[in-house]
Amino acid sequence: MRILQVSAFFLLLAFCVGTTQAQRYTLSGTVTDPAGQPLVGVNILEKGTTNGTTTDADGAYRLTYNDPNAVIVFSYVGFKRQEIVPAGRTELDVVLEEGIEFSELVVVGTRSLNRSVTESPVAVDVF
């Protein structure tokens, strides 16, 4: 009888723990450029967390998150960052706008100390 009571207690405890876990939400869709071409490797992140994913070769993604009021951030090099609240949606297709222009280009390199100008493969060594 005692074993039955202990078993029933653990069964009830397991049920309570299972029902109090946080609900998880799933968001999926595709990310494209304005021409409709899929973007590969777009960063998709639940804002304020380390929870995120990236798009695959078809621009598709799938993200599972915990907060029903989460802000989902879409970012990609050369495109404007977008922050979207899913508001209960399970599918969301995003079109990222071009717009970030690079104003400066920095080239970093190295040289051998014993190299002379006559051994230089190019006419200009300093940019």
Side-chain angles (χ1 to χ4, degrees):
M1 181 68 173
R2 177 92 174 131
I3 294 174
L4 184 59
Q5 288 175 338
V6 171
S7 297
F9 171 75
F10 281 116
L11 182 61
L12 181 62
L13 181 64
F15 176 75
C16 291
V17 169
T19 58
T20 60
Q21 289 181 345
Q23 183 176 355
R24 301 192 46 99
Y25 304 90
T26 301
L27 183 66
S28 61
T30 58
V31 181
T32 59
D33 66 7
Q37 296 299 314
L39 295 174
V40 181
V42 174
N43 291 313
I44 303 162
L45 185 68
E46 181 182 359
K47 190 173 185 175
T49 70
T50 58
N51 180 33
T53 188
T54 59
T55 55
D56 63 14
D58 297 320
Y61 70 92
R62 182 177 192 83
L63 176 69
T64 302
Y65 59 98
N66 294 323
D67 185 0
N69 300 314
V71 175
I72 308 300
V73 180
F74 296 81
S75 62
Y76 194 62
V77 175
F79 290 80
K80 291 181 183 176
R81 172 181 158 146
Q82 286 192 29
E83 296 186 4
I84 300 173
V85 178
R89 291 179 282 189
T90 57
E91 292 190 25
L92 178 64
D93 294 334
V94 177
V95 178
L96 291 183
E97 297 176 30
E98 296 178 15
I100 297 177
E101 305 236 351
F102 298 106
S103 61
E104 184 176 325
L105 178 64
V106 177
V107 179
V108 179
T110 182
R111 292 186 56 124
S112 171
L113 292 176
N114 60 359
R115 187 172 143 180
S116 69
V117 176
T118 58
E119 297 171 340
S120 176
V122 293
V124 179
D125 286 330
V126 180
F127 297 99

